[in-house]
Structure formats: structure tokens, C-alpha cells
Amino acid sequence: MRFGTLHSLAASYLRKNHTLAGLKKGWTILSDDESENILKEVIDIVSPEEDKRLRMSQHGKFRRVREEIARLKENGIGIHEAASNLASQHRTITPVIFEAYKEYEISKYRMNSLDFGDLAIRAVRAMRKNPETVYQFNICHLLVDEWQDTNKAQLDLVNMFVDAGSTLSVVGDDDQSLYAFRGALPHLMEETPSLFPKLSSVAGVEVVTLQTNRRSASSILDLACVVANQNPRSQKKTLIGHIGVPGVIEAKAFVSDRAEGQWIAGEVKKIVAGGTPHGQVAILSRNRITLKNVEKALISDNIPHLWRGNCSLIRRSVSADVMSYLKLAINPHLDIAFRRIAGRPSRGLGPSSVLSISQYMADTDSTLYEALSWFIEAEGTSARAQAGARSLATHIAWLENAVSEDLPPREIVEYVISSKGVNYKEWIRSRKGKGEGDDSLVVLADFCDLISMQDDLQEFLIMAELSANADEDSENGRVHMGTLHGCKGLEWDHVFITGMEANNFPSPNASKHLRRWSPFDTRDSSTVFEERRLLHVGITRARKGIVLSYTRGRRPFGKMVMSPESSFFKECGLHLPELPPVNRASDQSPSVE
Ligand SMILES: Nc1ncnc2c1ncn2[C@@H]1O[C@H](COP(=O)(O)OP(=O)(O)OP(=O)(O)O)[C@@H](O)[C@H]1O
């Protein structure tokens, strides 16, 4: 039996069949930072000002192009399909976006690398051309959880196995579909029976509705159903509670975020004093920014807490440096990794040296690695830069050789960090307090510990990127803080949902955002359906108690912003206590509720 994500299934296929997918041995997955850096360079090449939708700040342009390319990939639209789309009468892609997409793909091709969005698309394309390869995995049954979050590219991947004779079970909940903005299809559960004609014609599709909930108290489930049933649906949602504890639902109103934070911190203390561990409490919000004051209150009250988010070991700067060396070891053409480590440790290769190496690379269509050899001999290269380039070239050659000789990953890392090789550790030590985190050496030790458990470098690099992209596990000894999007699949005894303001939740930007980014499935685009599903997910995380809180005046960025309460209170039939009239003094009061 094999376990994994659809991404990792596609990655395994590509490892086995890299040539069929147009990849060379040693291909690597780019981290999000690496893909972003490539895209930033692409933006400069493609004259985005020709697209009137892209007449905005540099950062705005970049974000928009990045998101449009991601959407195309999530919808299974590779560069070939994008070219057909551009040429068609009903095109949904603009010439500038297509050009950016193409340049981005060319850069990745040159670097023998893929981004996350490529995995399913590239595997499916190779499978379609070589159908016999689908049988390599010998999958007779496939079970996919969280099916409602599947995008078109992943659906195509699943379909390849189904077409090859595999049976399929999917588990999901349309009311927990939160990723339309990332390409998930909002009615996937409902439509699934019709999406697999092969299964329907052979054995039929059996739909099993799971209504018994063994997590939450009945009153909490009733509230969740009230929210879910506000959305149009073919069948009314009913959940039957099975745990025998009474649920507590509270709606709270505060004049200021400071008051809200202090109240929540006080409640957490009471809950913990009653014998519940910190790890059984979560404070969630539509946006991280509305949790700022809660965090301050938790810190002031010395309440241990944990932010969920992208803080994994793999994402730390030190790990990213060492990973770049490792990626270069198996793929010396990965320019983006090369650029990261050219000056880490510093070796006389400053930005201008890296720039001339890059220019040579662009002019001669070579890689940075090849350009390095040119740079060493080039006229005008300073002795210091020359020495730096020479030492770097020696290191890369050593690393390449180590991989071809199958040296264990731990020995390769040892070369990178120790004085017998790159001497990275010493450099990090010397940088303490000069831009590197104080705990960098600890992070480096943790990373080395992790690598010492690995046998296969390429597999490790692929899996490390995949796992760093996944959500982190919650830790039991700390109050969890995070966004509603990040809380899927988790559960706590007590949940606080803050920031229930009209200007925050439902997010006034949500429909605009969905309309812009879901050009392929616009059914939900002008609605708050997805925001309701988000609230539904938040409520169903709680076992025993849920608090929904509204704050009249917040200072998200220093300036006070006032807002009426979220329309969700009324929809839920929850009544808020009345607040005193607006007045500067009471708005600063820490304890008005
Ligand atoms: N048969 C059972 N008996 C007792 N407890 C159960 C049973 N099945 C599930 N549970 C408990 O119910 C809770 C929810 O289960 P689980 O996480 O599997 O549901 P889910 O449908 O995946 O939830 P969601 O998708 O909403 O996150 C868990 O605490 C789990 O331990």
C-alpha cells in the first residue's frame, strides 16, 4: 500500500519516467522562492505594460502574472494548451501572460527543473503519450481524501489511473471546499459520479452520505448546518452529533482589538485552569492581521502559542542555502540555486560578478555554471572574483562527482558545511548578528540531523519541497493561532473565531478575487458561498466551545478602522451584546465587552 499526496504520486512517476516527460536525470523541484525569483526575471522581459490589466506597480504585476500562471496550471493548461487557447476565438489568456508563461517554462527547462504546479500536468502528458507507463504503479484501488480540494490537473491525473482500470473511492465535503481561488472545483463532490464515465459504466458509482459526526457537540453542529444551508444546494445539510458533551456557543462584541485580545487571553487562562491543555485551544481568523492584538495579549500573559504557517525547517534560510548546494550537486544547471549560493559564503563574487556571469549566460544560451568557467578566464575579472569563481567551480565539480559516485547525502552535506569543503558553517557562525538569525547554527544542526537519515538525495530533495509545502502539524502544548484556511482537518476543544467584521469576513475582496482567478469555473464567482464554507470549516473544528467575536475598531496598520459586525452573525441567528456609543475613551478601554 502506498500513501502520499497526488503531487507526490506525480513526482514518483516523473522520477521513473523523466525522459518521457522531457526531463534530464537529476531534475529538481523548485521551491516557491526559487520559482518566484525566476518569474521576477521573466516580468522584466515580457513588456507587461502592453496588457492594460497589468499597468500597476512592479509588485502588483508580478503577483498577477504569478497567479495567472498558477491558475492555468491548476486547470491543467500546460504551455501547449495555453498556445491553443491563445490562438482560439474565445481565448482566456492574454498575449503578455502567454509570453510570461512561455519564458518561465523556458527558464525552468534550461534548469532541468519543475515547479509544484507542473507535477500533475507533466505526469499526465507523459502518461497520455505512453499509456503503458500508467501500469508501472500497479494501482488497483485509489482512495483520495479531501477530494473537494482537487484541481483540474489533479483530476486528470486520477483519471489516468481510473482509465487504466483502477477503482476509486473519494472522500470529501463540498462545504469544506475553500480553494476555488487555487483552482479547486467548488461542486466537485456533487459532480463526481458524472466525472468518471468509465466507473459508472462498469460497476456504477455508490454515493455514501456520512452524517454522523463524532467530533463536535450537537449545538455546534447545528450552527455549522445553519451556515452551510445558507448556500444553494441540492440537499439540505444535516449533521448528527454523537458526543455526549454540551456545546457552548458565544457571540462577543468589543470596542477595540486590544479589549478583544485581553478578553480572549483571559478566557484561555480560564479554560486551561479547568484542566484543558493549551494545545486544545485555537484562535482563528479570516486574516492573520486581525490576530495581532490577540498575540500581544497571549505574549503579555505568558500563554504558550504557536503560529501555523510557513515556518518549517526546510523553509529557513540556512536550510535553503544548503538545499541549493544539494540541488546543484544533482542538477548543476539550476541557475537559480547557483545565484542563491554565489555569495553564501561570501567569496568575492558580488552582485556585479553574478550579473556579468548572467549576461554571458543569456548571450551564449549557456547555464550559469558554464558561464562561470568563462568568467574565470575573462578579461577584467578581478583577482578576488576570479579566485571566488574558481573555488565555487571546484566545489560544484566536487558535488557533481559525489553524486555520480553515490556518496551518502550526509557526506555531501558534510562537504558543504565543513572546512574540508565549502566551509558554510564557519561563515554562518561569523554572520551571527549580521543579518543571519541568532538560531542559525541550531537550524543548521537540525538540518544535518535530518539529512543523516536520508539515503537518496534526489528523493529527499523532492520530498522535502513537497512536505514543506504541506501544512505543519499542530503542537499540543501551545494555543494554536492561524487562519481559517490553515485549520482544515484539525480540531480543538475550544475555538475562537475573531475578526467577524463586515470589512473582514465575508471578505469584501473574495468575490472580486474569485472572479479574477477562476476564469474556468465562474459559477461561484460573484458570491460569498466560499466565505460561508470557510466559516463552516472554522465552526466544525470545535468539539465543545466556539466563540465568534466582533471588534468595532481595529488598528490593523496603526490607524483605527471602524466596521459594523459581519453579516454572518445575523445569518447564524446570533445576537451580539450592545456596545457603548463610539467614543475615543471607551475605544481605548481594555475591558469593555
Ligand atoms: N467511529 C468513531 N468512533 C469514535 N470517534 C470517531 C470515530 N470516527 C471518527 N471519530 C473522531 O471524530 C473526529 C473527526 O474524525 P475525522 O477527522 O476522521 O473526520 P473528517 O470527516 O475527516 O473531519 P473533517 O473533514 O471535518 O476534518 C476525530 O476526533 C475522530 O477521532
Side-chain angles (χ1 to χ4, degrees):
M1 193 184 299
R2 86 185 268 140
F3 292 86
T5 59
L6 290 172
H7 270 139
S8 69
L9 185 61
S12 303
Y13 175 85
L14 293 171
R15 279 203 72 197
K16 278 186 208 268
N17 303 285
H18 56 88
T19 37
L20 302 180
L23 292 162
K24 294 192 273 284
K25 191 165 179 283
W27 64 274
T28 27
I29 299 189
L30 299 169
S31 68
D32 284 343
D33 281 353
E34 288 167 340
S35 318
E36 287 193 5
N37 286 338
I38 296 176
L39 259 179
K40 277 181 186 148
E41 288 169 16
V42 163
I43 303 287
D44 292 335
I45 306 174
V46 298
S47 343
E49 57 289 342
E50 284 173 20
D51 184 335
K52 63 177 186 313
R53 297 171 322 140
L54 295 176
R55 285 184 201 140
M56 48 175 84
S57 70
Q58 190 68 6
H59 181 67
K61 266 189 283 225
F62 163 70
R63 266 187 60 172
R64 183 132 192 193
V65 171
R66 182 187 63 187
E67 286 176 301
E68 290 216 16
I69 292 177
R71 283 317 70 79
L72 290 168
K73 292 188 178 203
E74 283 149 8
N75 283 285
I77 299 186
I79 193 67
H80 303 288
E81 294 83 5
S84 319
N85 180 304
L86 186 70
S88 77
Q89 257 187 341
H90 307 290
R91 71 176 192 208
T92 45
I93 303 173
T94 65
V96 172
I97 295 294
F98 175 74
E99 206 48 34
Y101 192 3
K102 193 179 82 190
E103 289 297 332
Y104 176 60
E105 293 300 293
I106 291 172
S107 292
K108 284 191 292 121
Y109 175 77
R110 201 166 36 73
M111 296 182 205
N112 192 23
S113 61
L114 299 179
D115 64 21
F116 291 103
D118 289 326
L119 294 170
I121 295 187
R122 295 291 282 270
V124 167
R125 194 184 304 145
M127 286 176 179
R128 282 189 180 140
K129 285 195 192 151
N130 309 276
E132 70 289 354
T133 55
V134 182
Y135 296 98
Q136 288 167 350
F137 288 99
N138 208 6
I139 295 177
C140 51
H141 185 77
L142 193 59
L143 184 144
V144 188
D145 197 7
E146 302 290 354
W147 179 246
Q148 76 281 346
D149 293 334
T150 309
N151 65 33
K152 174 71 172 61
Q154 293 164 329
L155 186 63
D156 289 345
L157 180 69
V158 171
N159 241 318
M160 294 310 300
F161 292 103
V162 170
D163 282 346
S166 158
T167 49
L168 174 71
S169 307
V170 299
V171 187
D173 179 357
D174 273 341
D175 289 310
Q176 295 193 35
S177 173
L178 306 183
Y179 293 108
F181 71 94
R182 264 178 13 194
L185 307 165
H187 302 282
L188 191 59
M189 290 308 294
E190 211 170 281
E191 292 174 3
T192 294
S194 61
L195 291 174
F196 296 95
K198 175 146 186 177
L199 290 181
S200 319
S201 63
V202 180
V205 174
E206 188 185 358
V207 178
V208 181
T209 309
L210 302 171
Q211 287 183 316
T212 306
N213 179 300
R214 295 174 197 273
R215 174 185 293 145
S216 310
S218 300
S219 56
I220 294 176
L221 294 174
D222 291 346
L223 179 66
C225 289
V226 168
V227 174
N229 285 320
Q230 305 276 337
N231 277 351
R233 52 198 308 121
S234 53
Q235 263 186 324
K236 192 166 176 256
K237 181 153 191 146
T238 316
L239 290 172
I240 301 155
H242 226 267
I243 65 163
V245 293
V248 179
I249 298 170
E250 277 188 273
K252 303 296 279 188
F254 302 92
V255 291
S256 71
D257 43 7
R258 199 166 63 166
E260 180 195 49
Q262 286 174 342
W263 183 82
I264 291 178
E267 285 303 292
V268 173
K269 282 199 278 191
K270 279 191 224 159
I271 290 168
V272 171
T276 304
H278 285 105
Q280 282 308 325
V281 182
I283 307 166
L284 308 172
S285 175
R286 176 70 179 83
N287 290 309
R288 270 173 170 251
I289 194 83
T290 48
L291 290 173
K292 235 173 41 166
N293 273 285
V294 179
E295 186 182 23
K296 282 187 211 154
L298 294 182
I299 294 170
S300 310
D301 283 356
N302 206 8
I303 297 174
H305 57 281
L306 168 80
W307 272 103
R308 278 176 73 80
N310 224 350
C311 313
S312 71
L313 176 60
I314 297 300
R315 289 282 171 259
R316 297 296 302 269
S317 160
V318 167
S319 313
D321 286 345
V322 182
M323 296 258 296
S324 295
Y325 278 101
L326 299 180
K327 285 181 176 181
L328 277 174
I330 60 167
N331 181 8
H333 302 290
L334 190 68
D335 305 338
I336 201 79
F338 185 105
R339 265 173 259 183
R340 177 170 184 109
I341 52 89
R344 297 173 72 84
S346 35
R347 46 171 70 92
L349 288 180
S352 66
S353 301
V354 175
L355 186 68
S356 35
I357 297 170
S358 309
Q359 263 161 2
Y360 176 84
M361 173 195 73
D363 295 345
T364 58
D365 201 22
S366 56
T367 66
L368 264 178
Y369 178 46
E370 288 154 352
L372 198 57
S373 314
W374 159 84
F375 181 76
I376 294 169
E377 304 298 333
E379 259 177 49
T381 304
S382 72
R384 188 169 140 69
Q386 219 173 25
R390 196 169 285 122
S391 127
L392 187 51
T394 312
H395 292 321
I396 293 175
W398 189 97
L399 291 168
E400 237 187 314
N401 192 41
V403 167
S404 65
E405 288 187 359
D406 261 343
L407 245 58
R410 118 188 101 72
E411 285 184 36
I412 302 181
V413 170
E414 180 61 23
Y415 178 85
V416 175
I417 67 168
S418 74
S419 58
K420 75 172 188 194
V422 178
N423 211 6
Y424 178 79
K425 187 171 169 182
E426 195 44 48
W427 181 71
I428 279 294
R429 202 193 304 276
S430 72
R431 298 270 304 157
K432 198 168 170 202
K434 294 185 212 152
E436 300 302 320
D438 283 347
D439 61 345
S440 294
L441 284 171
V442 179
V443 176
L444 188 59
D446 285 342
F447 185 84
C448 293
D449 194 35
L450 175 68
I451 208 87
S452 68
M453 300 172 214
Q454 315 299 323
D455 302 321
D456 182 325
L457 189 57
Q458 190 188 13
E459 182 164 321
F460 165 71
L461 291 173
I462 291 174
M463 292 309 156
E465 290 297 353
L466 288 172
S467 71
N469 233 30
D471 288 340
E472 289 167 33
D473 282 341
S474 141
E475 284 181 24
N476 211 29
R478 298 193 251 173
V479 171
H480 167 109
M481 297 182 72
T483 61
L484 288 163
H485 275 103
C487 73
K488 282 190 79 179
L490 303 175
E491 57 188 40
W492 298 272
D493 281 355
H494 298 273
V495 171
F496 295 81
I497 300 182
T498 70
M500 298 280 298
E501 285 94 54
N503 66 1
N504 186 48
F505 193 30
S507 163
N509 296 325
S511 54
K512 200 169 65 191
H513 193 68
L514 273 174
R515 200 164 36 244
R516 195 195 302 161
W517 302 125
S518 298
F520 305 95
D521 189 333
T522 51
R523 286 166 296 185
D524 276 5
S525 58
S526 58
T527 71
V528 293
F529 300 163
E530 182 134 327
E531 296 289 295
R532 268 194 206 110
R533 292 195 286 265
L534 197 52
L535 178 59
H536 174 267
V537 167
I539 293 170
T540 51
R541 300 309 93 197
R543 290 195 199 96
K544 300 177 184 166
I546 181 108
V547 177
L548 305 180
S549 74
Y550 154 65
T551 292
R552 185 171 62 196
R554 277 188 195 280
R555 297 177 188 274
F557 303 102
K559 202 169 151 222
M560 176 71 81
V561 181
M562 310 287 277
S563 172
E565 75 267 19
S566 163
S567 54
F568 284 152
F569 283 106
K570 197 165 171 209
E571 286 190 7
C572 293
L574 293 173
H575 301 287
L576 283 168
E578 218 163 286
L579 290 174
V582 177
N583 131 358
R584 263 182 84 85
S586 73
D587 284 357
Q588 293 307 314
S589 154
S591 57
V592 180
E593 184 191 303

